[in-house]
Amino acid sequence: MNPAQDPAAPPPGAALLVVMGVTGSGKTTVGAALAQRLRLPFADADDFHSEANIAKMSDGIPLDDEDRLPWLRSIGAWLAEHAATGGVASCSALKRSYRDILREAAPTVTFVHLHGDMDAVRRRVAGRPGHFMPASLVESQYRTLEPLEPDEQGIVLDFARSVDELVDAYLAATDRTTATPENRGTGEAGSAR
């Protein structure tokens, strides 16, 4: 199929990725590893949160859409700034509407959804010292999560795999080994969309 006709085909040019998923799924670790492998800048969405958002989550209160909107717009602005040259950001991007905000700012963004078992996430979050997100919010994140839809450009990977395996799975699914346009892929593999 011609990539220009397939809305789920990877875009030409440099990789512009959002590693998404619930808290504790490994977004920051995998995102940083992907960025390093692709030789692209990395942005952690946690760094875009306001002090009010961090305080709310630290108190075990889930953010609502109004809380998230400025945060998502800031991440979208970062993606837009890196659209031509590539970049990798971590962002929960739990709802389709949140991903739409990011796509509005950066239409070529591809999502790498790290997904897996809720109990594994609870254990991970409980074991993170000093992080503002308590394990009590894991269940609310899973309730909020809307998986990638068929028309959304992305891939779903099981976060139980090692970081290297996850990076390799993304690269294999997209046939991408570097961030340059000549190495972009258009094929599907595994659960790539």
Side-chain angles (χ1 to χ4, degrees):
M1 176 178 279
N2 180 345
Q5 296 172 337
D6 181 4
L16 187 64
L17 306 174
V18 168
V19 181
M20 63 169 280
V22 298
T23 187
S25 60
K27 299 181 296 293
T28 300
T29 303
V30 174
L34 268 170
Q36 182 177 17
R37 185 83 68 93
L38 293 169
R39 296 186 297 277
L40 293 171
F42 174 71
D44 185 345
D46 285 350
D47 295 337
F48 292 83
H49 274 300
S50 67
E51 289 182 22
N53 280 3
I54 291 172
K56 198 170 182 179
M57 289 183 285
S58 296
D59 289 340
I61 302 168
L63 299 180
D64 59 28
D65 288 355
E66 188 176 323
D67 297 323
R68 287 188 179 98
L69 186 58
W71 173 69
L72 289 164
R73 286 187 176 147
S74 294
I75 298 163
W78 187 91
L79 291 167
E81 290 171 12
H82 293 83
T85 56
V88 180
S90 67
C91 177
S92 53
L94 297 177
K95 288 185 179 181
R96 169 72 187 245
S97 61
Y98 303 164
R99 297 188 295 271
D100 288 344
I101 291 168
L102 299 177
R103 266 191 296 272
E104 185 179 308
T108 61
V109 69
T110 296
F111 293 90
V112 180
H113 181 187
L114 303 180
H115 188 62
D117 180 64
M118 187 187 315
D119 288 335
V121 168
R122 280 192 186 111
R123 286 190 298 276
R124 286 180 177 189
V125 173
R128 288 194 305 198
H131 194 275
F132 60 81
M133 180 70 84
S136 62
L137 291 182
V138 169
E139 191 172 331
S140 74
Q141 292 232 320
Y142 272 91
R143 279 195 310 269
T144 302
L145 177 64
E146 296 173 0
L148 290 171
E149 294 180 18
D151 66 328
E152 292 187 272
Q153 190 168 280
I155 181 172
V156 178
L157 300 173
D158 183 348
F159 64 63
R161 298 163 81 177
S162 74
V163 173
D164 286 338
E165 287 173 330
L166 290 166
V167 170
D168 289 343
Y170 166 79
L171 296 173
T174 59
D175 192 31
R176 186 187 294 274
T177 54
T178 69
T180 58
E182 62 270 15
N183 288 322
R184 73 176 183 88
T186 57
E188 294 183 325
S191 55
R193 299 177 208 257

